[in-house]
Amino acid sequence: MVNNTLNKKGLFITFEGPDGSGKTTIIKELYKNLNKRFKNKVVLTREPGGNKNIIAESIRNILLNTDSKISYRAEALLFAASRAQHIDDFIVPSLKKEKIILCDRFVHSSYVYQGIGRKLGIDNIKKINEFAMSNVKPDLTIFLMINPIDALNRIKKDKNREINRLDKEKVNLHKQVYQGYLKLIKSEKKNKIFVVDANKSVDEITDEILKFLNKKFFNN
């Protein structure tokens, strides 16, 4: 029997992976499952932007618009600015209400896309995000691991997906981002990043994540 009790007050879980790894699909499945067990306690959000926040979503539109011409430094700062607004307006208030937050991307994306992919340096990206995040960090990051070429092929086959500015970047950037993720996984504490094979079926991935969450957070 599953115990529907959290080990702590509020929970902040982020999801990372290459574009096309299936994060959004998996998050929706987890939401359905967890919402049945924790009524009105589970909330969805995303980055850049965040749960219909006007300011953060406006920045998202600038960042992902295929017509936007943004310098790399400005891009990094815009991501951090959107994150700061997202944290203040949604994440912190949700944690105070003891919500379970499922967030599609967070600061790890900035580390690998801007720090490594744009060659701005992870240390520089960490500095601006330390200020933006104001000590708010995920309790757990779930990484969906898949070869970036396979992930991009998924995007091409998905007729319903809206293609954004980052999706249209050269393949080399996506390869660099993937290698950046692998470096981060090695450097982070094992209990902070849970790696899942994104080549598995949606049901298999969802079940694997739920088992891990049950053991780590839900007194199961």
Side-chain angles (χ1 to χ4, degrees):
M1 180 178 178
V2 176
N3 189 329
N4 296 342
T5 305
L6 277 169
N7 295 340
K8 64 190 294 298
K9 291 184 177 181
L11 188 60
F12 182 25
I13 303 173
T14 62
F15 295 77
E16 297 284 353
D19 290 308
S21 59
K23 297 184 312 306
T24 304
T25 299
I26 298 303
I27 290 171
K28 288 179 180 177
E29 289 300 312
L30 290 169
Y31 175 79
K32 290 178 186 176
N33 185 286
L34 293 173
N35 199 45
K36 291 177 183 177
R37 293 160 56 186
F38 302 96
K39 293 293 184 181
N40 301 318
K41 282 290 185 181
V42 188
V43 292
L44 298 177
T45 190
R46 65 179 182 177
E47 288 206 347
N51 207 273
K52 299 180 181 179
N53 176 278
I54 295 175
I55 296 175
E57 283 292 308
S58 296
I59 298 174
R60 176 188 177 88
N61 290 335
I62 295 171
L63 284 166
L64 300 187
N65 191 312
T66 55
D67 294 327
S68 293
K69 305 295 182 184
I70 308 172
S71 73
Y72 292 166
R73 285 184 298 117
E75 181 183 83
L77 290 166
L78 283 170
F79 272 108
S82 177
R83 182 163 297 126
Q85 195 71 43
H86 185 205
I87 286 171
D88 289 349
D89 287 355
F90 183 77
I91 293 176
V92 169
S94 295
L95 290 174
K96 287 181 178 179
K97 294 176 183 177
E98 301 182 10
K99 301 287 187 179
I100 300 171
I101 305 169
L102 305 181
C103 184
D104 190 341
R105 294 200 181 282
F106 196 62
V107 72
H108 287 88
S109 288
S110 289
Y111 295 159
V112 295
Y113 278 90
Q114 284 72 53
I116 294 176
R118 302 303 197 194
K119 295 181 170 52
L120 296 178
I122 287 184
D123 287 342
N124 289 329
I125 302 303
K126 284 185 175 181
K127 286 178 182 177
I128 62 175
N129 277 281
E130 282 176 3
F131 179 69
M133 291 162 61
S134 188
N135 294 320
V136 175
K137 298 178 181 179
D139 296 291
L140 175 70
T141 296
I142 295 172
F143 177 70
L144 298 179
M145 183 175 285
I146 184 173
N147 183 291
I149 303 303
D150 294 336
L152 290 174
N153 286 334
R154 284 185 180 182
I155 293 175
K156 291 178 182 178
K157 293 177 182 179
D158 187 352
K159 304 298 182 182
N160 297 318
R161 180 186 171 107
E162 181 181 351
I163 304 299
N164 63 52
R165 188 174 63 88
L166 294 178
D167 290 333
K168 296 179 72 173
E169 288 283 354
K170 293 180 179 179
V171 172
N172 189 50
L173 174 74
H174 294 281
K175 289 180 178 179
Q176 291 174 341
V177 164
Y178 180 69
Q179 292 302 317
Y181 272 126
L182 297 183
K183 289 180 182 178
L184 282 180
I185 290 168
K186 288 182 180 180
S187 65
E188 291 268 359
K189 294 179 180 178
K190 289 184 178 180
N191 65 338
K192 285 294 185 180
I193 295 185
F194 181 58
V195 180
V196 183
D197 182 356
N199 293 291
K200 295 180 179 179
S201 70
V202 172
D203 287 343
E204 288 176 317
I205 296 171
T206 303
D207 288 344
E208 185 175 346
I209 294 173
L210 285 171
K211 286 178 181 177
F212 184 82
L213 295 180
N214 287 337
K215 183 177 180 181
K216 187 173 178 64
F217 297 116
F218 300 149
N219 289 325
N220 187 38

